[in-house]
Amino acid sequence: MSSGSRSEEFCPRCGDAIERPPEVDLPTGPRDPDSVLCDDCYFEDFDLVDAPERIEVRVCSQCGALHRGNRWIDVGARDYTDIAIEETAERLAVHVDAHDVDWGVEPEQVDQNTIRMHAVFTGVIRDTPLQEKVTVPVYIARETCDRCGRIAGDYYASTIQVRGTERTPSSEEQDRAIEIAEEFVADREEDGDREAFITETTEMKDGVNMKVSTNKLGQTIAERIVRELGGAVSEAPTLVTEDGDGNEVYRVTFTARLPPYTPGDVIDLEDGDGPVLVTSAHGNLKGTRLESGDRYEADFEEGIAPDARKLGTREDAETTTVVAIEDAHAVQVLDPETYEAKTIPRPDYVDPDADEVPVLKHRDGLHILPE
Ligand SMILES: [Zn+2]
Ligand SMILES: [Zn+2]
């Protein structure tokens, strides 16, 4: 056929003359070679929807991650049916020249691993409204993702140790340290980071150990723990192996060393000014003097660990009766053990109208705590 407009007036397949009103919006361009055909030939083997014979959805049976493209992604705890519908939408291709396309899908659970998708598509092409039904089985393949495989294989690059200074961290501190780690990892996961994970958490007799996936993660979590609970981080690398290129591979242990005294502790600094109730262990130790109510702050060199001994904690306090306010610096209360009236220092935080006050009885005497 020679060039010119006349060749477009005949269908290249059947040879029939093509009669179209001039205003019909014919799809042009290289996308669909069939666009030159007459309507009869065009629709003869036309598919509105191109559907694969079956769709396989790979999910991790441990964490629910979905394999898409060539990687695993977290999709959160969701129904596999929803995931199957999304995957179906991804894999079904609607003819490029169709417009006003709409679709609906009816999932049919065939067995635990198979969902049959009954989809109905509608669209308009060559001014002709079309409807097409396709049924595609979606097979859910339950596998183990790379991350869960590494966790199961006890893979780790770094250890976080939570320890106290000359003490064992309290169970609240240990629980909170674990929570800080888990929250951080969950946030990273939320941001799509699948490389951050905790392999193992072990409660030791002197604290908590957590094995984590990278050295950076170990460092960040240890720093977050001391930022909240006080103390300092130290690190100790251990050479574990050389990799294939002869590079040394280290596992780093990050120790979050919690401060010797924590808020709520009552300590004696043996400086003649009486015991201190600790209120903060950030930067340097801060607290309240129990004899006067004055504020205490350790100096820079002492930091969070001034020379002191622990007398008790706020939890050891008992409520007792105020017998009489003697003067600006003394008050008479009942000893909670012997019920004898005793004169003790009156810190300025004691309410002059109080009938009862919390007191701590310790080896050096009896002191009123702030409420
Ligand atoms: Zn034709
Ligand atoms: Zn997994």
Side-chain angles (χ1 to χ4, degrees):
M1 259 182 282
S2 62
S3 65
S5 55
R6 284 194 62 81
S7 66
E8 287 169 17
E9 294 172 6
F10 295 93
C11 173
R13 188 170 295 172
C14 66
D16 284 354
I18 297 173
E19 285 171 36
R20 287 189 192 108
E23 71 273 14
V24 164
D25 178 24
L26 262 186
T28 52
R31 292 187 301 187
D32 183 7
D34 288 350
S35 58
V36 295
L37 301 179
C38 72
D39 284 358
D40 284 347
C41 291
Y42 184 80
F43 284 118
E44 199 175 76
D45 46 24
F46 176 83
D47 281 324
L48 178 63
V49 182
D50 186 21
E53 229 150 80
R54 74 201 281 272
I55 293 172
E56 190 179 79
V57 177
R58 296 166 62 190
V59 296
C60 174
S61 57
Q62 306 293 312
C63 69
L66 172 68
H67 196 268
R68 185 175 278 168
N70 54 4
R71 63 196 193 97
W72 290 94
I73 52 167
D74 286 311
V75 289
R78 283 195 301 155
D79 198 318
Y80 285 151
T81 306
D82 292 341
I83 292 170
I85 291 171
E86 267 175 40
E87 287 298 296
T88 305
E90 289 273 316
R91 313 265 194 103
L92 294 185
V94 177
H95 197 283
V96 286
D97 295 326
H99 54 92
D100 294 332
V101 175
D102 208 354
W103 79 300
V105 68
E106 198 71 46
E108 176 201 352
Q109 191 84 38
V110 179
D111 60 40
Q112 204 207 337
N113 294 322
T114 314
I115 301 166
R116 199 177 283 151
M117 293 293 170
H118 301 279
V120 180
F121 284 82
T122 54
V124 174
I125 199 154
R126 294 200 176 196
D127 285 350
T128 312
L130 296 172
Q131 189 192 63
E132 195 167 307
K133 288 181 189 172
V134 288
T135 297
V136 190
V138 178
Y139 179 71
I140 310 283
R142 285 164 214 266
E143 302 178 2
T144 300
C145 74
D146 48 7
R147 180 178 61 186
C148 290
R150 286 159 83 197
I151 294 172
D154 198 29
Y155 173 87
Y156 70 102
S158 175
T159 302
I160 302 157
Q161 295 186 332
V162 183
R163 297 292 184 271
T165 305
E166 289 168 32
R167 69 185 179 94
T168 302
S170 68
S171 56
E172 290 79 25
E173 287 173 321
Q174 300 195 29
D175 290 350
R176 185 59 196 142
I178 294 169
E179 244 172 50
I180 289 169
E182 288 175 348
E183 282 168 6
F184 182 69
V185 167
D187 283 352
R188 297 288 299 270
E189 210 170 278
E190 190 95 339
D191 291 343
D193 180 359
R194 290 184 50 82
E195 299 306 312
F197 57 80
I198 302 169
T199 307
E200 191 182 83
T201 300
T202 317
E203 306 211 355
M204 318 290 284
K205 65 177 199 308
D206 55 350
V208 171
N209 283 9
M210 287 180 272
K211 291 178 180 174
V212 298
S213 54
T214 67
N215 283 325
K216 180 85 196 114
L217 183 64
Q219 181 177 20
T220 308
I221 291 173
E223 281 167 358
R224 283 179 171 239
I225 290 170
V226 303
R227 195 188 306 157
E228 185 173 320
L229 301 178
V233 175
S234 61
E235 55 181 90
T238 317
L239 180 65
V240 281
T241 183
E242 285 190 358
D243 68 14
D245 300 326
N247 298 312
E248 295 174 330
V249 177
Y250 288 92
R251 267 184 191 151
V252 183
T253 297
F254 294 93
T255 301
R257 179 78 61 189
L258 305 187
Y261 311 112
T262 59
D265 284 350
V266 175
I267 58 171
D268 183 6
L269 296 147
E270 289 160 343
D271 57 2
D273 290 334
V276 166
L277 172 71
V278 176
T279 53
S280 166
H282 281 106
N284 53 352
L285 205 67
K286 297 172 192 72
T288 306
R289 293 281 187 182
L290 297 186
E291 290 190 353
S292 59
D294 290 349
R295 191 178 137 80
Y296 160 78
E297 190 168 334
D299 59 36
F300 180 75
E301 293 85 68
E302 294 171 318
I304 55 167
D307 275 341
R309 56 194 185 111
K310 189 168 160 178
L311 299 174
T313 74
R314 182 187 268 290
E315 269 99 81
D316 305 326
E318 295 169 82
T319 301
T320 196
T321 305
V322 176
V323 180
I325 302 277
E326 292 195 347
D327 60 34
H329 304 290
V331 59
Q332 211 176 74
V333 299
L334 289 186
D335 181 307
E337 272 173 30
T338 64
Y339 300 106
E340 284 174 277
K342 280 193 175 159
T343 298
I344 60 171
R346 178 190 166 190
D348 60 13
Y349 50 75
V350 174
D351 177 356
D353 301 325
D355 298 324
E356 291 184 323
V357 285
V359 291
L360 177 71
K361 192 172 183 187
H362 54 86
R363 59 192 166 208
D364 290 346
L366 190 60
H367 284 93
I368 300 174
L369 298 181
E371 294 285 348

